[in-house]
Amino acid sequence: MTTTPHGLLAWSLEAVVFDCDGTLMDSERHWQEARSRAFREYGLQPPPRFAEQATGLHYEDCGRLMARTVNKPELAEDLTAALLDHFLALVTDDPVTMPGAVQLVRLLSGRLPLAVASNCPRVVVEGSLERAGLRAHFQHIVVPDTGDGVRPKPHPDTYAVAARLCGVRPHRALAIEDSLTGVEAAHRAGLRVLGVGPRPQGDGATRADLWLPALHAPELLTWAQSSGTPKPLPES
């Protein structure tokens, strides 16, 4: 691995917007288990490679996909409800951060506006970040909300709104994502995109400006240490 700064990390940005599942929190494994439990609850077997299709999807879209792939469209609402119930139970019992997440967030905190753009329900995002000791570092959390017209990823809405709430133009903000669904959303919103974790297969990975293996990649931490001007956190 090289520690030579990539052009993306030499760029002077004005805000950072993180995905949550699979980026900050190690909860994708909980989604996988929740999907398996929901399928079993209805006596169904997940089709081959279903996890790859479902990664990054909003849970309602995932529930519909589950029903469609087993040719049971009438079970879409039931599978969606079961999926969310199982996930909430799992993530409450075992909230775990991704490697490097705490270190990177703390380095950036107070230097730049920070936000989260997630497809998860707000209660899940806020609860997970709170238990991980990270909630206070984020000024804004944006999740899909039909009442506000915010559509889930891969629509660009969550990232576009997050950049606006941070007070910056989208092209001056950096999105940090782990899934092709999220990368597509951030790219469509006009943000620069850093992919983290194993680089997914498929052309969609080219939507990211750079892929790094983890949030504690040396070049990323070096960049974070030199970004912005440290400012105290607002009093809670």
Side-chain angles (χ1 to χ4, degrees):
M1 179 189 303
T2 178
T3 56
T4 302
H6 180 274
L8 179 66
L9 301 182
W11 165 62
S12 179
L13 72 159
E14 297 174 1
V16 181
V17 184
F18 288 83
D19 171 54
C20 188
D21 272 3
T23 300
L24 290 173
M25 302 300 300
D26 186 10
S27 45
E28 181 54 36
R29 59 197 174 94
H30 294 323
W31 281 118
Q32 290 183 26
E33 177 61 21
R35 291 191 291 265
S36 295
R37 292 186 182 185
F39 274 126
R40 289 198 300 270
E41 186 175 330
Y42 286 89
L44 302 168
Q45 287 291 329
R49 304 177 68 87
F50 183 78
E52 295 179 19
Q53 300 177 55
T55 299
L57 290 180
H58 186 263
Y59 75 94
E60 291 179 345
D61 292 332
C62 186
R64 287 190 287 268
L65 179 64
M66 292 169 69
R68 190 166 63 250
T69 57
V70 294
N71 298 312
K72 296 285 186 180
E74 70 277 8
L75 290 180
E77 290 188 10
D78 293 333
L79 285 169
T80 299
L83 171 64
L84 183 58
D85 287 345
H86 288 303
F87 175 75
L88 289 174
L90 289 163
V91 78
T92 298
D93 290 342
D94 186 25
V96 179
T97 56
M98 294 296 290
V102 173
Q103 184 179 8
L104 180 62
V105 169
R106 289 178 176 172
L107 280 174
L108 290 172
S109 182
R111 298 173 181 268
L112 295 165
L114 301 183
V116 171
S118 175
N119 265 355
C120 276
R122 181 175 297 275
V123 63
V124 173
V125 178
E126 293 194 342
S128 297
L129 294 177
E130 190 68 43
R131 287 189 293 275
L134 296 177
R135 177 63 184 90
H137 297 286
F138 292 97
Q139 287 76 48
H140 308 286
I141 291 177
V142 182
V143 299
D145 187 331
T146 55
D148 292 336
V150 179
R151 299 167 297 175
K153 306 171 189 178
H155 295 289
D157 304 21
T158 55
Y159 277 107
V161 171
R164 175 173 57 79
L165 291 174
C166 286
V168 305
R169 291 173 293 176
H171 70 277
R172 301 301 303 170
L174 175 68
I176 302 183
E177 267 286 354
D178 73 300
S179 73
L180 294 182
T181 300
V183 167
E184 177 68 16
H187 178 78
R188 289 172 62 185
L191 281 70
R192 303 292 295 274
V193 187
L194 170 65
V196 292
R199 184 185 176 99
Q201 296 181 350
D203 294 339
T206 62
R207 298 286 197 181
D209 297 274
L210 171 67
W211 280 92
L212 292 175
L215 294 175
H216 53 34
E219 57 266 56
L220 184 56
L221 296 180
T222 298
W223 163 79
Q225 289 172 329
S226 63
S227 294
T229 302
K231 300 175 184 177
L233 281 173
E235 295 184 3
S236 56

